[in-house]
Amino acid sequence: MKVTKITLTFAKTSLFLLATIPLLLEARTTAQPSGAVPLPVFTDVTASAGLNLLGYPFGDPIWGDFDNDGDLDLFVDNHYNKAPYFYRNNGDGTFTDIFLSTTVRFSGDRHGSAWIDLAHTGLLDLHITIGANKGGALGMKEDEFLLNNGDGTFSEDGEAAGITNTYGRGRSIAWADYDNDGYPDLLLGNLQTQMVFYKNNGDGTFTDVSAGAGLTGYQYVEVAWADYNNDGYPDVFCTDALFPFQPSLDKLLKNNGDGTFTDVTAQAGIQALTFGRSIAWGDYNNDGYLDLFISRGSTTGLKQTLYKNNGDGTFTDVSDAAKLGVISNNRAAAWGDFDNDGYLDLYVVTSGNDTDGKGPSYLYHNNRNGTFTDVAATVGAQAVALSRGRGAAWADYDSNGFLDLFVTNGEDGTAYSQGPQILYHNGGNVNNWLEVKLVGTTSNRQGLGARVTITIGRAIQYREMNGSMGHFLSQGSTPLHFGTGKATIINTVVVKWPSGVVQTLTKVAADQQLTVVEGQ
């Protein structure tokens, strides 16, 4: 059933809404989500939804409502000079590939992709990193930056904006407003060459400030933003696992709030590990601090890593205690509360441990006691593929309040062959939910860096708007999703904007998508 989406606006100071507004009902329950509710079951609807069954992907697929019709659309990059898939959501559970009408370039050595509202227009632009054809065109290729024209077409604007990334072999895209000036800035991970950091000048142009920010000399493929210490400034985590080059050690770079970054890896308790592939930030234990999961792409015996955020600037490796210390060869990882019980679960894509890349992916259900159980086979989301697993992304594409999952496969060994791509529809259960869409005014339009906390009785849930709950080269744009269990009323929803504005909503009804507009 289609859910009505409600938009509310608030003053810059925290407000309590009037009880006469139907949305804000008297609280009927304040209990922490609990109870033995059956897990939802996933159904493969790829064909019936009108999606292609095969692809040549590299990074994560990205969800985002590029045409502002209220339904999440899907961009799937295709590597090795194959045309991408550009799926428009028809609003009835089906999609149409509109790539040929978008004027997006047909081919390219594409890797990462991102939705970003660069011009503060409310329209999502599309950014794609371009490689160097296995190093043969190093320093010659430029990333694609495509401005949304609002009519289903895009215009290239990267060179005019100064976003060229001519360092070469582009991989990861990470957007964030690092200085909280209202304009999203850009960090790019590259293969073989250093990552590059562009400051948004606020006039449609960018300046390379890598040196001034203290980010030169770092060679990383995967980079992702997150405010790990809750000081209001997004920090950077870097990892690297691409072969045949020597991968760099995991690194945490603290945002000092003055335009510079400091390497705090050791003092934060982050280990000097290698072969990290996907970076997934999420508060799995509901204590108000973002924890960190790193999938590792190697058959050399390294485990996946889960770091618990201690809330004092340090982390503790709890991989084994959480039962996530699996030795495997993985790529994408993404947090999402698929059963709406109020606790984040984790999907991890396997990239295969044999010559054919076969192997089931993992869906770790959060047991709400600090441990996880793999239920992928039980709920029908294993995604066993004949080729190597690549990307994954959660999104409620049919607006029924339950997170669906799109998984891609490709690259079989050294050959860039096609692999299955699967759309799993979430059948749901009786648990309730809330989705929060943010619209910045003083802050950047997407609300990147905004922090949202909801309370149900004494229990809290915390999310940060950082593009996604998992980052394998790419960055999507979806509402923040909260499962509320049996609770039909959320006591408070608190939004802390990058600008410093704090908005408080009280007695918010569950089972809706709520749009919060900053300071209007």
Side-chain angles (χ1 to χ4, degrees), residues 6 91-92 137 202 238 263 299 332 470 485 507:
I6 303 174
D92 59 1
C238 312
D263 182 353
T299 57
K507 300 179 182 177

Side-chain angles (χ1 to χ4, degrees), residues 366-387:
N366 192 327
N367 298 322
R368 301 187 292 181
N369 61 4
T371 69
F372 295 79
T373 300
D374 180 15
V375 298
T378 304
V379 302
Q382 277 192 306
V384 180
L386 297 178
S387 53

Side-chain angles (χ1 to χ4, degrees), residues 85-428:
Y85 299 126
F86 202 124
Y87 296 117
R88 170 177 275 159
N89 191 329
N90 299 320
D92 59 1
T94 69
F95 296 79
T96 300
D97 186 355
I98 62 168
F99 167 70
L100 291 178
S101 65
T102 62
T103 66
V104 175
R105 191 186 307 170
F106 183 83
S107 63
D109 188 17
R110 293 187 170 98
H111 296 116
S113 55
W115 292 114
I116 180 67
D117 183 357
L118 180 62
H120 215 85
T121 62
L123 295 172
L124 290 176
D125 307 306
L126 181 61
H127 181 193
I128 306 170
T129 55
I130 303 297
N133 292 330
K134 297 185 179 180
L138 197 62
M140 299 171 58
K141 298 292 184 179
E142 295 180 356
D143 289 352
E144 294 177 61
F145 190 82
L146 306 165
L147 289 178
N148 190 333
N149 296 321
D151 59 2
T153 67
F154 292 79
S155 301
E156 291 202 36
D157 192 51
E159 186 173 358
I163 309 174
T164 55
N165 191 28
T166 53
Y167 290 88
R169 308 203 79 167
R171 289 300 190 272
S172 181
I173 300 177
W175 287 91
D177 184 2
Y178 88 108
D179 53 1
N180 293 338
D181 65 353
Y183 299 98
D185 310 293
L186 173 62
L187 184 63
L188 294 170
N190 290 309
L191 178 64
Q192 283 187 286
T193 56
Q194 70 176 8
M195 62 187 190
V196 58
F197 182 42
Y198 290 103
K199 175 177 167 51
N200 191 327
N201 299 320
D203 59 2
T205 67
F206 290 76
T207 301
D208 182 349
V209 296
S210 306
L215 296 180
T216 54
Y218 292 115
Q219 295 189 15
Y220 284 94
V221 166
E222 181 65 271
V223 294
W225 297 94
D227 182 7
Y228 79 92
N229 56 358
N230 287 1
D231 67 352
Y233 289 93
D235 312 291
V236 177
F237 190 83
C238 312
T239 191
D240 189 328
L242 289 187
F243 300 99
F245 311 102
Q246 181 64 38
S248 301
L249 302 176
D250 294 345
K251 198 164 293 295
L252 178 62
L253 304 172
K254 179 182 177 295
N255 188 332
N256 299 318
D258 59 1
T260 67
F261 295 80
T262 300
D263 182 353
V264 295
T265 310
Q267 68 190 67
I270 303 296
Q271 302 171 71
L273 300 178
T274 60
F275 297 112
R277 273 214 169 106
S278 185
I279 300 168
W281 289 98
D283 181 13
Y284 79 90
N285 57 354
N286 290 345
D287 66 353
Y289 290 91
L290 293 177
D291 309 295
L292 174 63
F293 179 83
I294 307 161
S295 71
R296 301 202 181 272
S298 171
T299 57
T300 59
L302 285 175
K303 297 179 179 180
Q304 320 306 309
T305 309
L306 176 64
Y307 288 110
K308 178 184 177 295
N309 191 327
N310 299 319
D312 59 1
T314 69
F315 294 81
T316 299
D317 183 347
V318 295
S319 309
D320 290 336
K323 300 183 180 180
L324 292 178
V326 178
I327 298 174
S328 185
N329 180 26
N330 296 333
R331 277 192 169 88
W335 296 101
D337 183 3
F338 81 94
D339 61 339
N340 285 349
D341 69 347
Y343 286 79
L344 287 175
D345 311 298
L346 181 66
Y347 194 81
V348 183
V349 175
T350 185
S351 195
N353 291 316
D354 62 18
T355 55
D356 295 321
K358 298 183 183 70
S361 295
Y362 307 94
L363 176 51
Y364 293 107
H365 181 248
N366 192 327
N367 298 322
R368 301 187 292 181
N369 61 4
T371 69
F372 295 79
T373 300
D374 180 15
V375 298
T378 304
V379 302
Q382 277 192 306
V384 180
L386 297 178
S387 53
R388 299 201 180 280
R390 302 296 300 194
W394 295 101
D396 177 16
Y397 77 88
D398 57 352
S399 300
N400 70 348
F402 287 87
L403 290 176
D404 310 295
L405 180 67
F406 188 74
V407 184
T408 62
N409 292 267
E411 184 192 351
D412 185 1
T414 58
Y416 293 102
S417 58
Q418 293 188 84
Q421 50 184 26
I422 306 169
L423 177 62
Y424 286 114
H425 178 259
N426 188 332

